[in-house]
Amino acid sequence: MTAPRHYITTTIPYVNARPHLGFALELVQADTLARHRRQRGADVRLLSGTDDNSLKNVLAAEAEGIDVQSLVDRNAEAFAALRGPLALSLDDFIRTSRDPRHRVGVERLWRRCAAAGDLYRKHYEGLYCVGCEQFYAEAELVDGRCSEHGTEPQLVAEENWFFRLSRYADRLHELIAGGTLCIEPAARRNEVLSLIAGGLHDFSVSRSHTRARGWGIPVPGDPTQVVYVWWDALGNYVTSLGYGADDPAYEQWWVTSERRTHLIGKGVVRFHAVYWPAMLLSAGLPLPNDILVHDYLTVDGRKISKSGGTTVDPVALADTYGTDAVRWWLLREVPRVGDADFTPDRLIARADADFAGGLGNLVHRIVTMVHRYRGGTVPSLGTDRFTVTTLLDVCAKAPARIDAALADFDFRRATGATWDIVEEANRCIDVTRPWELARAERHGNAAAGERLDAVLSALVAACRVLAEELLPFIPDAAARIAAQVTPVDGSLPPATPLFLRLQETKPHV
């Protein structure tokens, strides 16, 4: 039987500056979904990349006094290098200014929409936010400023190419309201439906070659214009599959894949849930199945943002506190709905409580008891299972609970399902008191010995389930747990500390 295929993507960020923790959140979420789906037998392709063809990148290069390609190359390399510090299992990484797959795909997408009669040229005057790379109506501003960046938009007047977005309003509403295009959580779906109900206006899909400083992909047949960065960037989801060159990967991963899932931040919902599906409808291409939206990370209540000057370096965090601690905080602390405020103290507190004081302590206790009472050999479960029934039940139900949580794009609930095993294993130790069972066994109580076998066997089994189910979330730690409870020549390795207490060993960054 052929494994189901699942194509998972992140957004591709501007590279006007180095990466920050806000984008690391999206990468880790996407990686967790990809690892989980692979674990459950799916054939998965995980894509990320960088959005190089932005006016923001041009302005950043001008501010530094360097050429645009040099700035883009330098910063894009920093984004690509996140693979190691965040333990990412990326299958592909596309750069829109360098990857030969991209331009030909963007050009084909443009021509398909032009052939559908959805591109036309007109003069336009409007308020443009460079941070968003988007025109805004005055009614959409807050006190005359962009609500996302807090800046006053520029008044821009020029002739551009436009896309007939208005033509697709009814169809988009039908697809989203009916669940064919699933947007989660529900608040974001309702936001998109409200936007559509308020009326969709055609939008500009090119910029003058002059205003773009010549940076970007030229409009096919019109060298006076370059393709609007969002049109360009959104196309990466298919250009990375060789859409412009008849690569079989496009058919495999976009046309016939069972699921096509985009992970995005709440600030770019309009582009992914309205513009992108409309472009695909115009070009006659399949739509994504899921658009999963996360909220923001903040520092002292302010959104983490390159342009806003509020940044936290994920590489420095991983170097200081470890990859496991960073991934765990992002998955365990960030809610499905609502922003999450980050501080190093919160990361340390969560890691120390869950790792050093919780998971690590549990595994160490169990392996130590197996060595102390059974010479390192894991006993069989036997028939005396009454005292471990609840633990076995929690372990058995955990995979389905994790599946359901991740299907709802709820990482906090999914990690909670794994932690129920930790808590129940600790409760089992407290209730059964293996040291007392061992003492009774030494005094000739055979039943106590049988019960001790059952307890130790169930506890080791729980650790193995934890190692398996934690693999998508904290792959490095999961591998260490698995090694600790996997016999070598018939005996478990000696108990070793799995986690250090960060409060005692790590400086603040």
Side-chain angles (χ1 to χ4, degrees):
M1 182 177 176
T2 304
R5 290 187 297 276
H6 193 168
Y7 181 42
I8 301 173
T9 72
T10 72
T11 55
I12 54 173
Y14 300 132
V15 288
N16 55 312
R18 293 176 61 83
H20 59 63
L21 190 63
F23 184 59
L25 167 66
E26 187 169 302
L27 284 170
V28 170
Q29 288 180 337
D31 180 73
T32 299
L33 289 181
R35 288 178 181 275
H36 174 260
R37 294 293 293 132
R38 292 188 193 108
Q39 187 183 56
R40 297 299 193 251
D43 193 5
V44 175
R45 185 183 181 98
L46 175 59
L47 169 73
S48 190
T50 56
D51 182 357
D52 299 354
N53 296 325
S54 165
L55 181 57
K56 293 176 72 167
N57 300 336
V58 174
L59 297 177
E62 289 180 353
E64 286 194 36
I66 62 176
D67 67 275
V68 183
Q69 192 69 64
S70 295
L71 176 130
V72 165
D73 288 346
R74 182 194 70 200
N75 290 337
E77 184 177 339
F79 279 89
L82 291 173
R83 182 190 300 261
L86 296 179
L88 304 175
S89 59
L90 293 171
D91 297 293
D92 196 3
F93 190 93
I94 187 167
R95 287 197 47 205
T96 59
S97 71
R98 288 289 193 186
D99 198 308
R101 296 173 295 179
H102 188 62
R103 177 169 174 170
V104 293
V106 169
E107 291 173 339
R108 173 177 282 190
L109 186 63
W110 183 280
R111 292 190 178 102
R112 288 287 294 263
C113 293
D118 287 331
L119 297 178
Y120 64 95
R121 216 178 146 146
K122 78 167 187 176
H123 181 80
Y124 184 79
E125 182 175 299
L127 298 169
Y128 192 74
C129 173
V130 175
C132 295
E133 295 277 15
Q134 178 184 345
F135 282 103
Y136 282 104
E138 284 194 38
E140 295 178 292
L141 303 176
V142 179
D143 297 326
R145 296 177 178 271
C146 165
S147 60
E148 186 76 10
H149 294 92
T151 56
E152 294 183 5
Q154 303 172 357
L155 182 62
V156 173
E158 63 184 21
E159 185 167 287
N160 297 145
W161 287 91
F162 275 70
F163 175 73
R164 298 186 194 278
L165 180 65
S166 55
R167 175 181 286 182
Y168 296 97
D170 291 344
R171 182 66 178 137
L172 287 173
H173 192 282
E174 175 187 344
L175 290 167
I176 295 168
T180 300
L181 175 53
C182 176
I183 302 172
E184 288 290 344
R188 299 302 167 201
R189 178 170 64 252
N190 294 337
E191 173 188 325
V192 174
L193 291 173
S194 177
L195 178 66
I196 296 171
L200 296 181
H201 303 288
D202 297 351
F203 70 99
S204 171
V205 292
S206 73
R207 301 292 181 261
S208 72
H209 184 275
T210 301
R211 187 157 69 89
R213 318 292 205 272
W215 184 254
I217 297 174
V219 167
D222 186 356
T224 69
Q225 300 274 306
V226 298
V227 176
Y228 171 43
V229 65
W230 272 104
W231 179 287
D232 172 332
L234 289 165
N236 93 92
Y237 302 127
V238 294
T239 66
S240 62
L241 301 173
Y243 165 70
D246 298 319
D247 191 316
Y250 168 72
E251 180 75 21
Q252 178 184 10
W253 291 103
W254 192 261
V255 177
T256 62
S257 185
E258 278 74 11
R259 296 212 76 79
R260 298 170 291 275
T261 299
H262 297 323
L263 272 73
I264 69 170
K266 66 180 179 181
V268 295
V269 171
R270 177 196 303 248
F271 303 104
H272 285 82
V274 179
Y275 291 6
W276 176 232
M279 290 161 57
L280 292 169
L281 289 171
S282 173
L285 307 183
L287 270 59
N289 302 100
D290 313 289
I291 298 175
L292 308 180
V293 187
H294 62 82
D295 285 358
Y296 290 146
L297 296 185
T298 61
V299 173
D300 295 329
R302 295 175 57 207
K303 175 195 169 189
I304 293 179
S305 163
K306 298 190 296 292
S307 57
T310 309
T311 63
V312 177
D313 183 354
V315 176
L317 282 181
D319 286 346
T320 304
Y321 303 117
T323 297
D324 295 323
V326 175
R327 285 181 65 110
W328 191 245
W329 188 88
L330 292 171
L331 297 167
R332 186 90 162 113
E333 287 288 324
V334 177
R336 182 171 182 259
V337 177
D339 297 342
D341 203 64
F342 172 81
T343 68
D345 284 341
R346 288 176 180 145
L347 183 148
I348 290 170
R350 173 54 73 181
D352 282 352
D354 284 1
F355 289 168
L359 180 60
N361 182 58
L362 173 69
V363 176
H364 193 275
R365 289 176 77 189
I366 292 170
V367 174
T368 297
M369 287 190 292
V370 171
H371 276 277
R372 181 174 297 157
Y373 305 136
R374 291 297 181 261
T377 301
V378 181
S380 62
L381 186 60
T383 58
D384 188 359
R385 305 182 182 186
F386 176 75
T387 54
V388 296
T389 298
T390 303
L391 176 59
L392 296 174
D393 186 57
V394 169
C395 290
K397 291 178 178 177
R401 293 178 59 206
I402 293 168
D403 292 351
L406 292 182
D408 286 342
F409 193 49
D410 193 335
F411 296 93
R412 181 184 276 182
R413 198 171 97 225
T415 54
T418 68
W419 228 247
D420 286 348
I421 300 175
V422 175
E423 292 174 350
E424 181 55 34
N426 277 318
R427 191 200 67 81
C428 179
I429 293 172
D430 292 341
V431 169
T432 61
R433 304 177 73 80
W435 50 93
E436 293 185 358
L437 293 174
R439 187 182 306 118
E441 181 185 31
R442 287 196 300 271
H443 286 85
N445 188 333
E450 292 177 4
R451 181 160 295 182
L452 179 60
D453 282 346
V455 170
L456 294 177
S457 176
L459 288 171
V460 171
C463 291
R464 290 171 179 164
V465 172
L466 280 168
E468 178 74 11
E469 296 305 323
L470 285 170
L471 183 62
F473 305 99
I474 42 174
D476 294 347
R480 295 197 301 274
I481 296 167
Q484 188 72 88
V485 293
T486 299
V488 177
D489 296 329
S491 178
L492 296 185
T496 57
L498 295 175
F499 304 96
L500 298 176
R501 191 168 290 278
L502 298 183
Q503 189 66 48
E504 299 171 358
T505 61
K506 297 293 184 181
H508 287 211
V509 294

